[in-house]
Amino acid sequence: MSQVSERLAALSPSETLAMSQKSNELKAQGIDVINLSVGEPDFFTPDFIKEAAKKAIDDNFSFYAPVPGFLPLRNAIVSKLKKENNLDYKPEQIVCSNGAKQAVCNVLLCIINPGDEVIVPAPYWVSYVEMVKLAEGRNVIVSADIEQDFKITPAQLEAAVTPRTKAFILCSPSNPTGSVYSKEELKGLADVLARYPDIIIIADEIYEHINYIGKHESIAQFENIRERVVIVNGVSKAYAMTGWRLGWIAAPQWIASACNKLQGQYTSSPGNIAQKAAEAAYLGPQDCVETMRQAFERRRNLIVQLASDIPGLKVRQPKGAFYLFPDCSYYIGKSFNGNKINNSADLAMYLLEEGHVAAVGGLAFGAPNCIRFSYATSDENLIEAMARVKKALSVLQ
Ligand SMILES: Cc1ncc(COP(=O)(O)O)c(C=O)c1O
């Protein structure tokens, strides 16, 4: 008998992790699956960061740390925000967590009352909507399709605001679309938000450094909303450190204090060794970040070229992150051996079972016509994977 809470029963499991697991199962059966479902760099963590972690072990960083993270780490984040983003924060406004994932969840749990509305642009990162549910809030989805480069307009944002709107979540560069809002586009959204002083803006900037159009622009730069913006970031994507689990927020003091309080009763600080590694990442040489960015850009160019050659796929060039998010609606409704492809989740399953390529159907991201391929893998894998996808799609009727 299962007695899980209603809160848990309302949650959907992560589709991304499910596809990855299914792909591993097929691999375990000896099937050569190419996994383009995971959202992580395929690079190893740079050596100087690993050395800092080894030193932290030898230096006995084995005791409880302050809940929001060691002060030198928070100072390093403050310096990063000043140097890279020209934003001023105090270390008390920084709270480090077990990944940006926990950081987003902390903020939502700290500000949402039951029934409060959170505006989430779609396509969205799968976890936002589940976290809002966990906080007993209501998701208000604002959709932007491929024709508008998956970016919502100020008018769309304004139309979604109600007296119950508590927060707005913006992800740029975006998972799953790879879209990046320009400074002018961000200003347009900020000008709308400036008219609604009770809305908290959660700016997920975890893909900040994986940007192919130039300097990262943060919505926190606009003075008219600045005091209500929570920046979410971390070391997972920029420094190839997904498994270290270190993310953070830079927030108005009351939100940072609230997250500190919540985390103090829940998980305490993130692991010390990861904290020391992250401190080294921020203070050390940054050329590793640029080297990885260039590799992602080259792969982006490759996958765009390969996917554009597949009939029926509508491809838009991503401007950041490491995902391709083509519209695959041409194939929805088609069949294979009498089995109908009803949606993009079915299509992803078909590509896995028949093409041996793992991707994630767009349904999970609030975009049922699209499918997500992660291109954080080798050129050879990308070439082979896209050849398999092309072949598998060509036999659908
Ligand atoms: C948009 C977005 N935000 C946050 C995260 C979480 O990152 P972390 O590994 O720091 O928890 C991810 C990871 O996939 C992501 O894609």
Side-chain angles (χ1 to χ4, degrees), residues 45-61 241 244 272-284:
T45 301
D47 285 341
F48 75 92
I49 299 174
K50 294 196 282 197
E51 288 308 322
K54 290 177 197 166
K55 183 167 183 316
I57 295 173
D58 288 339
D59 288 350
N60 293 307
F61 274 86
M241 293 176 69
W244 294 79
N272 293 0
I273 308 308
Q275 288 191 55
K276 296 308 284 180
E279 182 189 327
Y282 285 122
L283 296 179

Side-chain angles (χ1 to χ4, degrees), residues 39 99-101 125 128 171 175 204 206-207 236-237 242 245 323:
K101 201 171 223 176
W125 179 47
Y128 298 143
C171 181
N175 174 8
D204 184 342
I206 192 82
Y207 294 97
S236 284
K237 317 285 177 173
T242 45
R245 311 308 304 131
Y323 308 100

